[in-house]
Amino acid sequence: MATTARTGPSQPADPHKGTSGPAGAPAGRAGGDAALGKTAAPSSPPAPNQAAPPISRLGVAAVVITVVLWASAFVGIRAVGPSFSPGSLTLGRLAIAAVALGVVVLPKLRVLPREREWWPILAFGVMWFGGYNVALNAAEHLLDAGTAALLINVNPILVAVLAGIVLKEGFPRWLIIGSVVAFGGVAVIALGSGQRSTADVAGVLLCLLAAALAAVSVIVQKPVLRKFSAGQATWFGIMVGLLCCLPFTGQLVNELQAAPLPATMGLVYLGVFPTAIAFTTWAYALSLIDAGKLAATTYLVPATTVLISWAVLGEIPTVWGLVGGAVCLVGVGLTRRRSR
């Protein structure tokens, strides 16, 4: 997790280099600041066409942890779905995450967001931690875990476009080419799902809604990380989403009473690992990497999800899903190429 690092000498902050922390802090304090909840002054991003150097090992580790844990979330949601409805599952997951991450963030929290600083936090808290999770949970009542993960991957294309326009990250040639190829893979999956049943079409639409909410949230969250650490920003967002889901409290209580122990333990897993930890490591990586380029790494989530789903749930995706997934992987490979 990104909150474990305390190594290396201090160097000038640059949000696109591995030498910066979640809020633009020096390298030696990047992970430590995430754990301690410290903040730092924002730094200016490089020119859109400037080639960014490789990120630090901590940054790479944060991306890997995020991909694996988010992939496991698709399987976990599918596994506990019979015991928990979409709204109550979201509420339970966020409540557990709020406690788990709060233990780390709250003891060292010294500065709260001021008036206008709350607006982006409220926005990505409502859209990502609230709306995204409810839509995804509902979609997985209709689709298998692998297909849901593949469909969510319209998100990186949306992030790349929004980041180029809103965050001035530009439109690198290979990022665009790879995104178009990967989007073709998503289209193949959607086509196959639509031919199977009307229920699957509803699942596809819910996944696309979740992807759109997540994409906008990434763009809104990026500037927040210039002042607040990854842990702080994530915890604030979780609390906002939690408040939005409070109407599902009665439903969650009833379902918890009826749920078998494995389903309850699955809910705890979803709250601690794919939520508290993975969203923090994502925020940490987002503080180091352009939003568009980081979002492209999530094309690796579907392949990981398919493997976990196959091993844990025995779910094998359709031929359309496999073909579309392969196209998505080719696309993400192209996004990592650098323009000469």
Side-chain angles (χ1 to χ4, degrees), residues 11-21 24-25 43-46 50 53 287-289:
Q11 297 180 11
D14 183 334
H16 297 277
K17 294 184 179 180
T19 57
S20 65
S43 55
S44 300
Q50 179 179 339
S287 71
L288 304 176
I289 310 171

Side-chain angles (χ1 to χ4, degrees), residues 46-303:
N49 294 328
Q50 179 179 339
I55 61 174
S56 67
R57 292 182 179 179
L58 281 176
V60 173
V63 172
V64 172
I65 290 171
T66 302
V67 167
V68 173
L69 292 184
W70 277 358
S72 73
F74 286 96
V75 179
I77 293 169
R78 182 72 172 173
V80 305
S83 300
F84 298 100
S85 55
S88 63
L89 175 55
T90 301
L91 175 60
R93 181 175 171 179
L94 293 177
I96 293 166
V99 174
L101 190 55
V103 171
V104 178
V105 171
L106 287 178
K108 300 298 179 180
L109 183 61
R110 297 291 181 266
V111 180
L112 289 174
R114 296 181 180 179
E115 299 174 357
R116 293 185 178 180
E117 293 171 344
W118 275 111
W119 289 113
I121 293 172
L122 290 172
F124 74 74
V126 171
M127 291 188 295
W128 205 352
F129 291 98
Y132 166 86
N133 280 301
V134 172
L136 177 59
N137 293 342
E140 289 210 48
H141 279 274
L142 305 172
L143 301 172
D144 64 83
T147 300
L150 289 163
L151 284 168
I152 287 292
N153 271 281
V154 70
N155 169 50
I157 296 106
L158 298 176
V159 172
V161 173
L162 291 173
I165 297 173
V166 179
L167 300 180
K168 310 300 182 184
E169 292 181 0
F171 299 92
R173 181 179 63 181
W174 285 110
L175 177 61
I176 299 303
I177 293 174
S179 295
V180 170
V181 172
F183 183 80
V186 174
V188 170
I189 300 164
L191 177 63
S193 296
Q195 289 181 344
R196 288 203 302 274
S197 72
T198 303
D200 285 349
V201 172
V204 169
L205 293 177
L206 284 167
C207 279
L208 294 179
L209 172 61
L213 291 172
V216 176
S217 298
V218 170
I219 303 305
V220 174
Q221 186 186 39
K222 177 77 171 178
V224 174
L225 294 169
R226 295 172 185 167
K227 178 172 182 179
F228 298 99
S229 70
Q232 290 175 344
T234 302
W235 188 76
F236 290 148
I238 286 173
M239 291 304 298
V240 171
L242 177 63
L243 291 175
C244 293
C245 293
L246 285 180
F248 298 109
T249 301
Q251 198 173 37
L252 175 61
V253 171
N254 293 333
E255 291 175 355
L256 277 173
Q257 292 174 344
L261 181 60
T264 302
M265 295 305 296
L267 179 63
V268 173
Y269 173 85
L270 288 170
V272 174
F273 292 93
T275 309
I277 295 178
F279 274 94
T280 300
T281 52
W282 164 269
Y284 175 72
L286 183 60
S287 71
L288 304 176
I289 310 171
D290 285 347
K293 293 182 179 179
L294 177 61
T297 64
T298 61
Y299 283 122
L300 300 175
V301 170

